[in-house]
Amino acid sequence: MRVASPGVRREGKPARIRRAAPERRESPCRPGHGYAAVAGMAWARRRLLPARGDQRRPSGETGGAAPGTLKAVFFIFASLCAWYSGYLLAELIPDLPLSSAVYSIRSIGERPVLKAPAPKRQKCDHWTPCPPNTYAYRLLSGGGRDKYAKICFEDEVLIGEKTGNVARGINIAIVNYVTGKVTATQYFDMYEGDNSGPMTNFIQSAPSKSLLFMVTHDDGSSRLKEDAKRAIEALGSKEIRNMRFRSSWVFLAAKGFELPAGIQREKVNHSDNVKNRYSGWPAEIQVEGCIPKGPS
């Protein structure tokens, strides 16, 4: 019987190739020299290589920043943004009290409220304007020591504290009725001195077609004589003989023509220790109205 040689193909069947068995290696952990070699290599590595924390990165190599550094940078950036936003807000908002600013912010969403416009100031502080072709006037008596008398005509103060021509006694202003221009002003002390005669002459010297305005401050009757009373009565006064010590009195007169019947012309308020508004003086009184202009 013939045996075929290895590697020779038998007729009808392929030849089988046998592989060599792998070489067996001894484990380094095997007792003996293998374990000692591994321990020695570990000792040498610890001695020759530096600690991991001491290793330096090569130049050009970057790594992630520490978390604490990132937080610090973000905090500084947020603080700068907040400061700048507050600065811009302070520049844009006008200088108003905090309560006004809060009210303005709250009122943004509210329904707008329609407000009536402020009333327009009228001549001589009238509540309503005078009709065309009329003169506006207002007479105010004095009250107490500090409330001075005042005569206003066409929004011009003829006698008053601001003009410096008001004093104790009877204050008189004369106005040309045709032109509406003041011609004379004077005050006459009726508490001291003899001023009743000069006042009578002043009244009688007023030209025709004149408006005469008279108001008292403090006392206007103590030294008022009969001739002065008759001169004022001739102009239409009904209260001149009822004047008492420190009575408040105002009077509008026309010389050389007649005033309309509906115009306020005269008022008086007597001193009363029970009803006085001021110590020793009654309250001030006033008359006001509109005088139709005459033909020019």
Side-chain angles (χ1 to χ4, degrees):
M1 181 176 178
R2 298 180 65 180
V3 180
S5 300
V8 179
R9 182 179 180 182
R10 293 179 62 182
E11 186 178 354
K13 293 183 180 180
R16 292 183 180 181
I17 300 174
R18 294 183 180 181
R19 296 180 180 179
E23 183 181 359
R24 297 184 63 183
R25 297 181 180 178
E26 295 184 359
S27 173
C29 297
R30 186 177 180 182
H33 66 276
Y35 181 78
V38 173
M41 290 175 63
W43 178 85
R45 185 177 181 183
R46 286 195 302 268
R47 296 291 296 176
L48 297 177
L49 295 178
R52 181 173 298 179
D54 296 337
Q55 293 179 358
R56 296 183 179 179
R57 298 182 182 274
S59 59
E61 183 180 354
T62 58
T69 305
L70 289 176
K71 290 182 179 179
V73 172
F74 178 77
F75 177 77
I76 294 174
F77 179 75
S79 301
L80 291 175
C81 290
W83 173 84
Y84 188 68
S85 300
Y87 172 76
L88 291 180
L89 189 63
E91 289 294 328
L92 295 176
I93 296 178
D95 295 336
L96 294 176
L98 181 60
S99 58
S100 300
V102 173
Y103 177 78
S104 300
I105 295 174
R106 291 179 57 188
S107 61
I108 291 177
E110 296 179 357
R111 181 178 299 177
V113 179
L114 298 178
K115 295 183 179 180
K120 182 181 178 181
R121 182 187 175 277
Q122 307 300 330
K123 292 180 179 180
C124 295
D125 296 326
H126 284 196
W127 283 104
T128 57
C130 284
N133 296 320
T134 58
Y135 295 124
Y137 72 93
R138 183 169 181 254
L139 309 180
L140 180 66
S141 71
R145 293 183 181 274
D146 302 324
K147 302 289 185 179
Y148 289 93
K150 180 177 169 182
I151 297 175
C152 178
F153 181 78
E154 278 295 276
D155 214 26
E156 178 184 357
V157 177
L158 307 183
I159 289 179
E161 183 180 6
K162 292 183 178 181
T163 54
N165 58 350
V166 62
R168 180 178 60 186
I170 298 178
N171 299 261
I172 303 176
I174 301 175
V175 175
N176 188 307
Y177 174 65
V178 178
T179 63
K181 303 297 183 181
V182 61
T183 58
T185 61
Q186 188 62 266
Y187 58 86
F188 302 91
D189 191 351
M190 291 295 150
Y191 185 76
E192 292 181 346
D194 187 10
N195 298 305
S196 182
M199 186 183 73
T200 303
N201 295 334
F202 182 78
I203 293 172
Q204 293 175 345
S205 65
S208 181
K209 297 285 183 178
S210 294
L211 294 167
L212 289 87
F213 304 95
M214 305 183 190
V215 293
T216 59
H217 178 72
D218 197 338
D219 180 38
S221 64
S222 293
R223 294 182 178 270
L224 185 64
K225 295 182 179 180
E226 182 64 25
D227 57 346
K229 293 179 181 179
R230 286 198 300 265
I232 295 174
E233 275 183 329
L235 294 173
S237 174
K238 305 297 183 183
E239 300 289 346
I240 190 63
R241 293 190 179 274
N242 297 327
M243 292 272 289
R244 303 175 189 171
F245 177 69
R246 287 180 175 170
S247 292
S248 296
W249 175 67
V250 293
F251 177 53
L252 164 63
K255 186 176 182 179
F257 66 99
E258 293 292 332
L259 290 172
I263 290 181
Q264 293 185 14
R265 300 184 59 179
E266 189 175 22
K267 276 187 179 181
V268 66
N269 188 18
H270 302 297
S271 179
D272 189 334
N273 291 331
V274 177
K275 299 180 181 179
N276 282 342
R277 176 178 294 181
Y278 311 102
S279 178
W281 283 272
E284 59 269 30
I285 57 173
Q286 72 174 12
V287 295
E288 63 180 32
C290 307
I291 304 172
K293 293 181 180 180
S296 55

